[in-house]
Amino acid sequence: MSARTLKLGAVLIGVGGPGQHNTWLSPEIPGNASVDVRWYIARAQQAEAARFDHIFIVDSQFITADSPNHYLSRLEPLTLLSAVAVHTSHIGLVGTITTSYNEPFNVARRLASLDHISGGRAGWNVVTSGDAGTAGNYSRDEHYDYTTRYGRAHEHVRIAQGLWDSYETDAFPRDKDRGVFFDRSRQHPLNHTGEYFSVVGPLNLERSPQGQPVIFQAGDSEEGRDLGASIAEAIFTHAQTLEQAQAFRTEMRARAAARGRDPEQLLIIPGIFPIIADTDEEARAAEEATLGAKSFERALAELGRPFGWHDFSQYDLDAPFPEVGDAGALSFRTQAESIKKLARENSLTLRQVVEHQLRAMRSPFVGSPLTIANEIQRWFEGGGFDGINLMVTVPSEFARFTDEVLPILRERGIARTEYESTTLRGNLGLRVPENRHTAARLGSQAAGAAGAAGAAGEGSYGAPSPAGSPATSSADPARSSSDLVPVPASAPLS
């Protein structure tokens, strides 16, 4: 891509996520939207018509009766995205999968399958499961601690990437005239033995159209930021102010550079929930009405989620925020610690903390289409983000963005007018990862050719080698697997 343009994602959350207690009452939203594949297909097609880069499916695997409506009953991400894939042609398909309660081989295979089904549009949002209760659904008495969770995540992703390199691009000539279906020298086992996983490989699926699915990551803890800087190509985050967004993007790009990565290949794409009306005043009134409609009781219950679904209803609302010990240590620890710090430093009661959390859900993007476009441009050009993930529920509200805000951004050259690629990686401006075995083989060939050329120059008193001799032959010395330069088992984990 010649010019930097705004990346666009649509987070499809059906009947409403955290704080959206009454969203499902909209006449535009079917009561079963979160499990109706037709709703997702329609929203994906709506986003594709607006030239969005991707749709984004969030997920978790533990719920309580107090979980947000969308969380209570929703489709498994990759099953859903495979269905959406055959009804779309360009838009990326990003699904959330936890590394804490999945095996790398299965995840690599499922994502590579989605990449093939979609023609190169798959993305993986890597999470480690913040809901500690998930452990009980996977035969564990207790959730992994942070060190283990993020250690597993790093190793898990590196294994998946190694498995995606199991086959080189030309592994399957499928030459019927010669009767050659498969070139066994282009298949490579992984033979990984690490701290958390042992995986032999190879993956039983050829290299996908975009080389490897795009790696997204979500996690704001210190461990999460380290993981994102190491493995992510795009990071899903949140920010309430441009200054917060600038600081996060600057920090993450610096962390990536410190790990030897090109910081330009790490995109920061926060989630936003714009509120659009004909005028700024009407938009602010709509926001107030939305905030006022949110149930205090539900907000009190949802406050418990980062604390491992701690029950805050047992406390006096007007007493100081309660001491909850290490609740949240194995859940959303960073968020829980932030809430406790806020209450402690400002001497807040439990009621005030809940009210603060409700106010904290205010969108920085509220106003007329022109105001929204101006603010997005300010954040984008100010280095706050590389793109945005819009929370999508009510179709007409999404249409106000695509039909009224996007044209302004396109006119200013900030948003593109057409897709530039048929793959997610291509549209995001991300490089296709080089297959490690192809790189090793070509490096070996180059080194061999250089050595042979040097020997030819010294041999026979400087006479050139005869045509067709090993020094000049066009034959591929690496066609036999025994001639390949071996890649250490630990290479995918470096």
Side-chain angles (χ1 to χ4, degrees), residues 158-200:
R158 293 307 190 200
I159 291 170
Q161 291 172 323
L163 289 169
W164 289 330
D165 277 355
S166 292
Y167 286 111
E168 297 182 58
T169 302
D170 56 353
F172 292 91
R174 296 185 172 98
D175 188 329
K176 293 188 177 183
D177 292 336
R178 293 189 298 126
V180 178
F181 180 79
F182 163 56
D183 182 346
R184 64 179 58 243
S185 74
R186 300 297 198 251
Q187 181 197 70
H188 306 278
L190 186 64
N191 293 323
H192 167 78
T193 301
E195 184 175 358
Y196 302 103
F197 303 102
S198 295
V199 180
V200 175

mmCIF file of all heavy atoms in Angstrom, residues 158-200:
data_model
loop_
_atom_site.group_PDB
_atom_site.id
_atom_site.type_symbol
_atom_site.label_atom_id
_atom_site.label_comp_id
_atom_site.label_asym_id
_atom_site.label_seq_id
_atom_site.Cartn_x
_atom_site.Cartn_y
_atom_site.Cartn_z
ATOM 1 N N ARG A 158 3.602 -19.854 18.677
ATOM 2 C CA ARG A 158 4.793 -20.219 17.908
ATOM 3 C C ARG A 158 4.659 -21.622 17.322
ATOM 4 O O ARG A 158 5.130 -21.888 16.202
ATOM 5 C CB ARG A 158 6.042 -20.124 18.792
ATOM 6 C CG ARG A 158 6.395 -18.702 19.220
ATOM 7 C CD ARG A 158 6.502 -17.760 18.045
ATOM 8 N NE ARG A 158 7.076 -16.465 18.429
ATOM 9 C CZ ARG A 158 6.947 -15.357 17.735
ATOM 10 N NH1 ARG A 158 6.236 -15.369 16.615
ATOM 11 N NH2 ARG A 158 7.498 -14.236 18.144
ATOM 12 N N ILE A 159 4.020 -22.521 18.055
ATOM 13 C CA ILE A 159 3.791 -23.863 17.515
ATOM 14 C C ILE A 159 2.845 -23.792 16.317
ATOM 15 O O ILE A 159 3.084 -24.425 15.276
ATOM 16 C CB ILE A 159 3.218 -24.792 18.603
ATOM 17 C CG1 ILE A 159 4.277 -25.078 19.670
ATOM 18 C CG2 ILE A 159 2.725 -26.112 17.992
ATOM 19 C CD1 ILE A 159 3.735 -25.792 20.897
ATOM 20 N N ALA A 160 1.763 -23.042 16.466
ATOM 21 C CA ALA A 160 0.814 -22.907 15.355
ATOM 22 C C ALA A 160 1.516 -22.354 14.113
ATOM 23 O O ALA A 160 1.325 -22.846 12.994
ATOM 24 C CB ALA A 160 -0.347 -22.008 15.763
ATOM 25 N N GLN A 161 2.352 -21.343 14.310
ATOM 26 C CA GLN A 161 3.067 -20.768 13.170
ATOM 27 C C GLN A 161 4.025 -21.785 12.552
ATOM 28 O O GLN A 161 4.187 -21.828 11.329
ATOM 29 C CB GLN A 161 3.828 -19.518 13.615
ATOM 30 C CG GLN A 161 2.897 -18.360 13.973
ATOM 31 C CD GLN A 161 3.625 -17.177 14.586
ATOM 32 O OE1 GLN A 161 4.579 -17.356 15.355
ATOM 33 N NE2 GLN A 161 3.185 -15.960 14.269
ATOM 34 N N GLY A 162 4.640 -22.608 13.400
ATOM 35 C CA GLY A 162 5.507 -23.652 12.879
ATOM 36 C C GLY A 162 4.727 -24.692 12.087
ATOM 37 O O GLY A 162 5.170 -25.151 11.033
ATOM 38 N N LEU A 163 3.558 -25.043 12.587
ATOM 39 C CA LEU A 163 2.718 -26.009 11.880
ATOM 40 C C LEU A 163 2.223 -25.450 10.549
ATOM 41 O O LEU A 163 2.093 -26.183 9.565
ATOM 42 C CB LEU A 163 1.536 -26.415 12.761
ATOM 43 C CG LEU A 163 1.874 -27.297 13.963
ATOM 44 C CD1 LEU A 163 0.678 -27.419 14.908
ATOM 45 C CD2 LEU A 163 2.340 -28.683 13.504
ATOM 46 N N TRP A 164 1.941 -24.146 10.515
ATOM 47 C CA TRP A 164 1.489 -23.535 9.255
ATOM 48 C C TRP A 164 2.583 -23.549 8.201
ATOM 49 O O TRP A 164 2.312 -23.364 7.015
ATOM 50 C CB TRP A 164 1.007 -22.105 9.505
ATOM 51 C CG TRP A 164 -0.293 -22.050 10.261
ATOM 52 C CD1 TRP A 164 -1.293 -22.966 10.247
ATOM 53 C CD2 TRP A 164 -0.713 -21.018 11.166
ATOM 54 N NE1 TRP A 164 -2.329 -22.575 11.070
ATOM 55 C CE2 TRP A 164 -1.996 -21.380 11.652
ATOM 56 C CE3 TRP A 164 -0.147 -19.821 11.606
ATOM 57 C CZ2 TRP A 164 -2.711 -20.584 12.556
ATOM 58 C CZ3 TRP A 164 -0.857 -19.037 12.504
ATOM 59 C CH2 TRP A 164 -2.127 -19.415 12.971
ATOM 60 N N ASP A 165 3.835 -23.777 8.626
ATOM 61 C CA ASP A 165 4.950 -23.902 7.689
ATOM 62 C C ASP A 165 5.264 -25.355 7.362
ATOM 63 O O ASP A 165 6.302 -25.651 6.760
ATOM 64 C CB ASP A 165 6.206 -23.231 8.267
ATOM 65 C CG ASP A 165 6.225 -21.726 8.041
ATOM 66 O OD1 ASP A 165 5.318 -21.223 7.359
ATOM 67 O OD2 ASP A 165 7.146 -21.060 8.555
ATOM 68 N N SER A 166 4.379 -26.274 7.745
ATOM 69 C CA SER A 166 4.640 -27.701 7.512
ATOM 70 C C SER A 166 4.879 -28.010 6.044
ATOM 71 O O SER A 166 5.708 -28.852 5.688
ATOM 72 C CB SER A 166 3.462 -28.544 8.014
ATOM 73 O OG SER A 166 3.349 -28.505 9.416
ATOM 74 N N TYR A 167 4.139 -27.346 5.177
ATOM 75 C CA TYR A 167 4.294 -27.544 3.740
ATOM 76 C C TYR A 167 4.810 -26.271 3.090
ATOM 77 O O TYR A 167 4.323 -25.171 3.374
ATOM 78 C CB TYR A 167 2.953 -27.888 3.089
ATOM 79 C CG TYR A 167 2.454 -29.289 3.361
ATOM 80 C CD1 TYR A 167 1.332 -29.500 4.155
ATOM 81 C CD2 TYR A 167 3.091 -30.399 2.798
ATOM 82 C CE1 TYR A 167 0.858 -30.780 4.395
ATOM 83 C CE2 TYR A 167 2.623 -31.681 3.038
ATOM 84 C CZ TYR A 167 1.509 -31.867 3.827
ATOM 85 O OH TYR A 167 1.043 -33.137 4.074
ATOM 86 N N GLU A 168 5.777 -26.417 2.209
ATOM 87 C CA GLU A 168 6.191 -25.293 1.396
ATOM 88 C C GLU A 168 5.145 -25.069 0.301
ATOM 89 O O GLU A 168 4.319 -25.949 0.012
ATOM 90 C CB GLU A 168 7.569 -25.541 0.811
ATOM 91 C CG GLU A 168 8.650 -25.662 1.886
ATOM 92 C CD GLU A 168 10.040 -25.860 1.320
ATOM 93 O OE1 GLU A 168 10.478 -24.984 0.534
ATOM 94 O OE2 GLU A 168 10.668 -26.880 1.643
ATOM 95 N N THR A 169 5.187 -23.912 -0.300
ATOM 96 C CA THR A 169 4.144 -23.530 -1.256
ATOM 97 C C THR A 169 4.024 -24.502 -2.418
ATOM 98 O O THR A 169 2.926 -24.764 -2.914
ATOM 99 C CB THR A 169 4.422 -22.108 -1.785
ATOM 100 O OG1 THR A 169 4.475 -21.202 -0.677
ATOM 101 C CG2 THR A 169 3.333 -21.661 -2.738
ATOM 102 N N ASP A 170 5.150 -25.078 -2.855
ATOM 103 C CA ASP A 170 5.139 -25.963 -4.027
ATOM 104 C C ASP A 170 5.109 -27.440 -3.642
ATOM 105 O O ASP A 170 5.549 -28.304 -4.404
ATOM 106 C CB ASP A 170 6.353 -25.679 -4.917
ATOM 107 C CG ASP A 170 7.674 -25.810 -4.154
ATOM 108 O OD1 ASP A 170 7.642 -25.995 -2.917
ATOM 109 O OD2 ASP A 170 8.742 -25.717 -4.788
ATOM 110 N N ALA A 171 4.571 -27.759 -2.477
ATOM 111 C CA ALA A 171 4.585 -29.147 -2.000
ATOM 112 C C ALA A 171 3.667 -30.065 -2.794
ATOM 113 O O ALA A 171 3.853 -31.288 -2.796
ATOM 114 C CB ALA A 171 4.210 -29.197 -0.519
ATOM 115 N N PHE A 172 2.672 -29.501 -3.451
ATOM 116 C CA PHE A 172 1.695 -30.320 -4.161
ATOM 117 C C PHE A 172 1.644 -29.937 -5.643
ATOM 118 O O PHE A 172 0.795 -29.144 -6.059
ATOM 119 C CB PHE A 172 0.310 -30.164 -3.531
ATOM 120 C CG PHE A 172 0.198 -30.753 -2.155
ATOM 121 C CD1 PHE A 172 0.466 -29.979 -1.035
ATOM 122 C CD2 PHE A 172 -0.154 -32.078 -1.976
ATOM 123 C CE1 PHE A 172 0.375 -30.521 0.240
ATOM 124 C CE2 PHE A 172 -0.242 -32.633 -0.707
ATOM 125 C CZ PHE A 172 0.019 -31.855 0.401
ATOM 126 N N PRO A 173 2.538 -30.495 -6.461
ATOM 127 C CA PRO A 173 2.503 -30.183 -7.893
ATOM 128 C C PRO A 173 1.231 -30.691 -8.568
ATOM 129 O O PRO A 173 0.755 -30.105 -9.532
ATOM 130 C CB PRO A 173 3.758 -30.867 -8.447
ATOM 131 C CG PRO A 173 4.141 -31.877 -7.426
ATOM 132 C CD PRO A 173 3.677 -31.354 -6.100
ATOM 133 N N ARG A 174 0.686 -31.789 -8.091
ATOM 134 C CA ARG A 174 -0.548 -32.370 -8.647
ATOM 135 C C ARG A 174 -0.459 -32.469 -10.172
ATOM 136 O O ARG A 174 -1.383 -32.095 -10.902
ATOM 137 C CB ARG A 174 -1.763 -31.550 -8.221
ATOM 138 C CG ARG A 174 -2.018 -31.541 -6.719
ATOM 139 C CD ARG A 174 -3.309 -30.796 -6.360
ATOM 140 N NE ARG A 174 -3.640 -30.945 -4.939
ATOM 141 C CZ ARG A 174 -3.356 -30.047 -3.995
ATOM 142 N NH1 ARG A 174 -2.743 -28.924 -4.330
ATOM 143 N NH2 ARG A 174 -3.688 -30.258 -2.736
ATOM 144 N N ASP A 175 0.666 -33.003 -10.620
ATOM 145 C CA ASP A 175 0.954 -33.128 -12.047
ATOM 146 C C ASP A 175 0.445 -34.476 -12.541
ATOM 147 O O ASP A 175 1.074 -35.517 -12.318
ATOM 148 C CB ASP A 175 2.464 -32.998 -12.276
ATOM 149 C CG ASP A 175 2.841 -32.919 -13.746
ATOM 150 O OD1 ASP A 175 2.128 -33.517 -14.575
ATOM 151 O OD2 ASP A 175 3.843 -32.249 -14.060
ATOM 152 N N LYS A 176 -0.699 -34.487 -13.208
ATOM 153 C CA LYS A 176 -1.303 -35.744 -13.658
ATOM 154 C C LYS A 176 -0.524 -36.365 -14.808
ATOM 155 O O LYS A 176 -0.493 -37.593 -14.944
ATOM 156 C CB LYS A 176 -2.751 -35.490 -14.056
ATOM 157 C CG LYS A 176 -3.647 -35.113 -12.881
ATOM 158 C CD LYS A 176 -5.111 -35.065 -13.271
ATOM 159 C CE LYS A 176 -5.977 -34.754 -12.041
ATOM 160 N NZ LYS A 176 -7.425 -34.759 -12.369
ATOM 161 N N ASP A 177 0.116 -35.534 -15.644
ATOM 162 C CA ASP A 177 0.898 -36.079 -16.754
ATOM 163 C C ASP A 177 2.067 -36.904 -16.251
ATOM 164 O O ASP A 177 2.392 -37.963 -16.801
ATOM 165 C CB ASP A 177 1.408 -34.944 -17.646
ATOM 166 C CG ASP A 177 0.289 -34.240 -18.393
ATOM 167 O OD1 ASP A 177 -0.773 -34.873 -18.593
ATOM 168 O OD2 ASP A 177 0.465 -33.063 -18.765
ATOM 169 N N ARG A 178 2.724 -36.448 -15.211
ATOM 170 C CA ARG A 178 3.869 -37.172 -14.638
ATOM 171 C C ARG A 178 3.451 -38.119 -13.523
ATOM 172 O O ARG A 178 4.264 -38.887 -13.020
ATOM 173 C CB ARG A 178 4.900 -36.184 -14.086
ATOM 174 C CG ARG A 178 5.589 -35.342 -15.157
ATOM 175 C CD ARG A 178 6.750 -34.536 -14.601
ATOM 176 N NE ARG A 178 6.325 -33.582 -13.590
ATOM 177 C CZ ARG A 178 6.843 -33.506 -12.367
ATOM 178 N NH1 ARG A 178 7.797 -34.341 -11.988
ATOM 179 N NH2 ARG A 178 6.407 -32.598 -11.515
ATOM 180 N N GLY A 179 2.190 -38.014 -13.120
ATOM 181 C CA GLY A 179 1.727 -38.863 -12.028
ATOM 182 C C GLY A 179 2.319 -38.477 -10.691
ATOM 183 O O GLY A 179 2.491 -39.314 -9.806
ATOM 184 N N VAL A 180 2.620 -37.172 -10.510
ATOM 185 C CA VAL A 180 3.239 -36.690 -9.272
ATOM 186 C C VAL A 180 2.233 -35.800 -8.533
ATOM 187 O O VAL A 180 1.925 -34.692 -8.996
ATOM 188 C CB VAL A 180 4.533 -35.895 -9.550
ATOM 189 C CG1 VAL A 180 5.116 -35.364 -8.235
ATOM 190 C CG2 VAL A 180 5.541 -36.769 -10.265
ATOM 191 N N PHE A 181 1.723 -36.294 -7.424
ATOM 192 C CA PHE A 181 0.778 -35.522 -6.625
ATOM 193 C C PHE A 181 1.470 -34.673 -5.581
ATOM 194 O O PHE A 181 1.082 -33.528 -5.333
ATOM 195 C CB PHE A 181 -0.205 -36.476 -5.933
ATOM 196 C CG PHE A 181 -1.229 -35.781 -5.070
ATOM 197 C CD1 PHE A 181 -2.339 -35.177 -5.637
ATOM 198 C CD2 PHE A 181 -1.078 -35.717 -3.686
ATOM 199 C CE1 PHE A 181 -3.291 -34.522 -4.860
ATOM 200 C CE2 PHE A 181 -2.005 -35.061 -2.893
ATOM 201 C CZ PHE A 181 -3.120 -34.468 -3.484
ATOM 202 N N PHE A 182 2.551 -35.231 -4.979
ATOM 203 C CA PHE A 182 3.119 -34.653 -3.757
ATOM 204 C C PHE A 182 4.631 -34.750 -3.803
ATOM 205 O O PHE A 182 5.194 -35.773 -4.187
ATOM 206 C CB PHE A 182 2.534 -35.430 -2.568
ATOM 207 C CG PHE A 182 3.266 -35.273 -1.267
ATOM 208 C CD1 PHE A 182 3.480 -34.021 -0.724
ATOM 209 C CD2 PHE A 182 3.722 -36.386 -0.565
ATOM 210 C CE1 PHE A 182 4.136 -33.877 0.493
ATOM 211 C CE2 PHE A 182 4.369 -36.250 0.642
ATOM 212 C CZ PHE A 182 4.585 -34.993 1.180
ATOM 213 N N ASP A 183 5.306 -33.687 -3.417
ATOM 214 C CA ASP A 183 6.761 -33.662 -3.316
ATOM 215 C C ASP A 183 7.124 -33.794 -1.835
ATOM 216 O O ASP A 183 7.022 -32.840 -1.065
ATOM 217 C CB ASP A 183 7.291 -32.348 -3.886
ATOM 218 C CG ASP A 183 8.818 -32.263 -3.859
ATOM 219 O OD1 ASP A 183 9.451 -33.095 -3.165
ATOM 220 O OD2 ASP A 183 9.369 -31.351 -4.510
ATOM 221 N N ARG A 184 7.554 -34.986 -1.452
ATOM 222 C CA ARG A 184 7.786 -35.248 -0.028
ATOM 223 C C ARG A 184 8.931 -34.421 0.551
ATOM 224 O O ARG A 184 9.007 -34.230 1.766
ATOM 225 C CB ARG A 184 8.035 -36.739 0.223
ATOM 226 C CG ARG A 184 9.277 -37.311 -0.410
ATOM 227 C CD ARG A 184 9.443 -38.803 -0.073
ATOM 228 N NE ARG A 184 8.289 -39.576 -0.506
ATOM 229 C CZ ARG A 184 7.493 -40.232 0.349
ATOM 230 N NH1 ARG A 184 7.739 -40.192 1.650
ATOM 231 N NH2 ARG A 184 6.488 -40.935 -0.105
ATOM 232 N N SER A 185 9.803 -33.866 -0.294
ATOM 233 C CA SER A 185 10.895 -33.030 0.230
ATOM 234 C C SER A 185 10.383 -31.675 0.699
ATOM 235 O O SER A 185 11.116 -30.928 1.335
ATOM 236 C CB SER A 185 11.972 -32.833 -0.839
ATOM 237 O OG SER A 185 11.537 -31.927 -1.845
ATOM 238 N N ARG A 186 9.135 -31.370 0.390
ATOM 239 C CA ARG A 186 8.559 -30.083 0.784
ATOM 240 C C ARG A 186 7.618 -30.205 1.984
ATOM 241 O O ARG A 186 6.903 -29.270 2.316
ATOM 242 C CB ARG A 186 7.805 -29.457 -0.391
ATOM 243 C CG ARG A 186 8.665 -29.190 -1.631
ATOM 244 C CD ARG A 186 9.777 -28.172 -1.335
ATOM 245 N NE ARG A 186 10.303 -27.603 -2.546
ATOM 246 C CZ ARG A 186 11.520 -27.863 -3.046
ATOM 247 N NH1 ARG A 186 12.327 -28.710 -2.391
ATOM 248 N NH2 ARG A 186 11.926 -27.286 -4.152
ATOM 249 N N GLN A 187 7.624 -31.363 2.622
ATOM 250 C CA GLN A 187 6.850 -31.559 3.846
ATOM 251 C C GLN A 187 7.816 -31.627 5.030
ATOM 252 O O GLN A 187 8.856 -32.294 4.952
ATOM 253 C CB GLN A 187 6.049 -32.859 3.769
ATOM 254 C CG GLN A 187 5.197 -33.136 5.001
ATOM 255 C CD GLN A 187 4.746 -34.593 5.079
ATOM 256 O OE1 GLN A 187 5.559 -35.485 5.311
ATOM 257 N NE2 GLN A 187 3.456 -34.820 4.874
ATOM 258 N N HIS A 188 7.450 -30.951 6.141
ATOM 259 C CA HIS A 188 8.382 -30.850 7.256
ATOM 260 C C HIS A 188 7.674 -31.068 8.593
ATOM 261 O O HIS A 188 6.744 -30.325 8.937
ATOM 262 C CB HIS A 188 9.051 -29.466 7.268
ATOM 263 C CG HIS A 188 9.708 -29.124 5.967
ATOM 264 N ND1 HIS A 188 10.963 -29.562 5.632
ATOM 265 C CD2 HIS A 188 9.251 -28.391 4.905
ATOM 266 C CE1 HIS A 188 11.278 -29.106 4.420
ATOM 267 N NE2 HIS A 188 10.244 -28.404 3.958
ATOM 268 N N PRO A 189 8.116 -32.049 9.363
ATOM 269 C CA PRO A 189 7.582 -32.199 10.728
ATOM 270 C C PRO A 189 8.081 -31.062 11.613
ATOM 271 O O PRO A 189 9.033 -30.361 11.266
ATOM 272 C CB PRO A 189 8.144 -33.544 11.172
ATOM 273 C CG PRO A 189 9.398 -33.711 10.370
ATOM 274 C CD PRO A 189 9.128 -33.060 9.047
ATOM 275 N N LEU A 190 7.419 -30.879 12.746
ATOM 276 C CA LEU A 190 7.804 -29.807 13.659
ATOM 277 C C LEU A 190 8.742 -30.320 14.749
ATOM 278 O O LEU A 190 9.734 -29.684 15.084
ATOM 279 C CB LEU A 190 6.555 -29.195 14.291
ATOM 280 C CG LEU A 190 6.767 -27.971 15.175
ATOM 281 C CD1 LEU A 190 7.316 -26.812 14.352
ATOM 282 C CD2 LEU A 190 5.466 -27.551 15.839
ATOM 283 N N ASN A 191 8.386 -31.473 15.323
ATOM 284 C CA ASN A 191 9.206 -32.082 16.381
ATOM 285 C C ASN A 191 9.505 -31.101 17.509
ATOM 286 O O ASN A 191 10.651 -30.923 17.930
ATOM 287 C CB ASN A 191 10.514 -32.629 15.800
ATOM 288 C CG ASN A 191 10.282 -33.793 14.864
ATOM 289 O OD1 ASN A 191 9.394 -34.620 15.117
ATOM 290 N ND2 ASN A 191 11.029 -33.880 13.779
ATOM 291 N N HIS A 192 8.457 -30.459 17.994
ATOM 292 C CA HIS A 192 8.624 -29.488 19.075
ATOM 293 C C HIS A 192 8.392 -30.134 20.436
ATOM 294 O O HIS A 192 7.399 -30.823 20.663
ATOM 295 C CB HIS A 192 7.632 -28.341 18.904
ATOM 296 C CG HIS A 192 7.540 -27.470 20.129
ATOM 297 N ND1 HIS A 192 8.495 -26.526 20.416
ATOM 298 C CD2 HIS A 192 6.641 -27.436 21.151
ATOM 299 C CE1 HIS A 192 8.181 -25.936 21.559
ATOM 300 N NE2 HIS A 192 7.061 -26.459 22.026
ATOM 301 N N THR A 193 9.306 -29.918 21.343
ATOM 302 C CA THR A 193 9.133 -30.276 22.746
ATOM 303 C C THR A 193 9.468 -29.048 23.567
ATOM 304 O O THR A 193 10.602 -28.559 23.541
ATOM 305 C CB THR A 193 10.054 -31.441 23.153
ATOM 306 O OG1 THR A 193 9.759 -32.576 22.340
ATOM 307 C CG2 THR A 193 9.835 -31.807 24.616
ATOM 308 N N GLY A 194 8.455 -28.509 24.260
ATOM 309 C CA GLY A 194 8.660 -27.284 24.998
ATOM 310 C C GLY A 194 8.224 -27.406 26.435
ATOM 311 O O GLY A 194 8.030 -28.508 26.956
ATOM 312 N N GLU A 195 8.029 -26.269 27.086
ATOM 313 C CA GLU A 195 7.660 -26.258 28.496
ATOM 314 C C GLU A 195 6.221 -26.691 28.710
ATOM 315 O O GLU A 195 5.904 -27.339 29.717
ATOM 316 C CB GLU A 195 7.864 -24.850 29.065
ATOM 317 C CG GLU A 195 7.600 -24.750 30.566
ATOM 318 C CD GLU A 195 7.918 -23.387 31.129
ATOM 319 O OE1 GLU A 195 8.388 -22.502 30.360
ATOM 320 O OE2 GLU A 195 7.706 -23.184 32.348
ATOM 321 N N TYR A 196 5.350 -26.380 27.746
ATOM 322 C CA TYR A 196 3.921 -26.654 27.931
ATOM 323 C C TYR A 196 3.349 -27.638 26.921
ATOM 324 O O TYR A 196 2.325 -28.263 27.187
ATOM 325 C CB TYR A 196 3.131 -25.341 27.842
ATOM 326 C CG TYR A 196 3.575 -24.301 28.847
ATOM 327 C CD1 TYR A 196 4.378 -23.230 28.462
ATOM 328 C CD2 TYR A 196 3.214 -24.406 30.184
ATOM 329 C CE1 TYR A 196 4.793 -22.277 29.380
ATOM 330 C CE2 TYR A 196 3.629 -23.463 31.114
ATOM 331 C CZ TYR A 196 4.422 -22.396 30.705
ATOM 332 O OH TYR A 196 4.834 -21.460 31.625
ATOM 333 N N PHE A 197 3.988 -27.768 25.760
ATOM 334 C CA PHE A 197 3.420 -28.597 24.702
ATOM 335 C C PHE A 197 4.500 -29.429 24.024
ATOM 336 O O PHE A 197 5.662 -29.030 23.964
ATOM 337 C CB PHE A 197 2.752 -27.723 23.630
ATOM 338 C CG PHE A 197 1.673 -26.811 24.153
ATOM 339 C CD1 PHE A 197 1.932 -25.454 24.345
ATOM 340 C CD2 PHE A 197 0.404 -27.296 24.438
ATOM 341 C CE1 PHE A 197 0.941 -24.605 24.815
ATOM 342 C CE2 PHE A 197 -0.590 -26.449 24.907
ATOM 343 C CZ PHE A 197 -0.327 -25.107 25.090
ATOM 344 N N SER A 198 4.071 -30.575 23.500
ATOM 345 C CA SER A 198 4.915 -31.388 22.630
ATOM 346 C C SER A 198 4.089 -31.710 21.387
ATOM 347 O O SER A 198 3.020 -32.314 21.484
ATOM 348 C CB SER A 198 5.344 -32.690 23.325
ATOM 349 O OG SER A 198 6.175 -32.417 24.430
ATOM 350 N N VAL A 199 4.602 -31.296 20.235
ATOM 351 C CA VAL A 199 3.858 -31.454 18.993
ATOM 352 C C VAL A 199 4.817 -31.946 17.911
ATOM 353 O O VAL A 199 5.810 -31.283 17.604
ATOM 354 C CB VAL A 199 3.213 -30.132 18.548
ATOM 355 C CG1 VAL A 199 2.439 -30.326 17.245
ATOM 356 C CG2 VAL A 199 2.297 -29.587 19.629
ATOM 357 N N VAL A 200 4.513 -33.077 17.330
ATOM 358 C CA VAL A 200 5.381 -33.667 16.316
ATOM 359 C C VAL A 200 5.146 -33.039 14.950
ATOM 360 O O VAL A 200 6.084 -32.654 14.264
ATOM 361 C CB VAL A 200 5.166 -35.201 16.244
ATOM 362 C CG1 VAL A 200 5.989 -35.802 15.095
ATOM 363 C CG2 VAL A 200 5.545 -35.848 17.563
#
